[in-house]
Amino acid sequence: MDLSSWFRRSLLRKSEKTKNPDPSEQTLLPRSEEEEQLGVTEELIDHVKSFTLDTFKNFALPDDEGAENSPTTSSKTQKDLSEWQEKHATLVLSKVKELSHLRYKLCPGYLKEHQFWRIYFLLVKKQVAEYELRAIQLARLKEMAVENEKSTNSIAHEVEMSEAKQGASLALPTP
């Protein structure tokens, strides 16, 4: 799935939910907590509102266009944004209409979608770095917990199997 279609679909779903909210559907986090975890603060919103067309047009991207030739996923599309960045981008687009308008004017005519988001995340790096780092740390902790659970379960199975073998060998009469 390419990045632009993902954003269109996620924004469409979000707008449909706000028009026809499902009372049985409960989000895991209250809105303000989600915004806090994704780094969408009033300071960030004010900073993003100051962006202009020229902010993006005149931004010199670092010379690593070789990244476009980098290894891709199995579906032959490059994963440009992390899961946290995708959630952040969706939320900030819904909260800051000015950014949404800039994106509409710039993509794909002047910038490619992945270039727009690279520039955006470089511009807001100071405001969101600690939030992204915290999300990465939480994801790693969850992975470690899952791995620990898996190893604990496999050790328990090994113990049960060895006890069963030992019990079977004791039950066999020796000739």
Side-chain angles (χ1 to χ4, degrees), residues 33-95:
E33 252 185 84
E34 180 185 28
E35 291 171 2
E36 177 67 26
Q37 283 189 341
L38 294 174
V40 181
T41 62
E42 289 301 318
E43 178 187 346
L44 176 80
I45 291 171
D46 292 340
H47 181 60
V48 171
K49 284 182 178 181
S50 71
F51 295 167
T52 65
L53 284 173
D54 291 332
T55 305
F56 285 87
K57 285 182 177 181
N58 297 332
F59 193 90
L61 280 172
D63 242 0
D64 56 279
E65 288 303 317
E68 290 186 23
N69 298 327
S70 66
T72 56
T73 60
S74 60
S75 64
K76 305 263 182 186
T77 58
Q78 184 174 350
K79 180 96 168 123
D80 292 320
L81 299 177
S82 68
E83 184 180 337
W84 182 89
Q85 287 174 328
E86 288 176 357
K87 289 177 183 178
H88 173 90
T90 303
L91 183 59
V92 81
L93 281 173
S94 68
K95 299 280 288 176

Side-chain angles (χ1 to χ4, degrees), residues 105-119:
K105 290 177 183 177
L106 290 167
C107 298
Y110 187 79
L111 291 172
K112 294 178 182 175
E113 190 80 25
H114 75 276
Q115 292 172 319
F116 177 86
W117 290 110
R118 273 188 65 206
I119 292 170

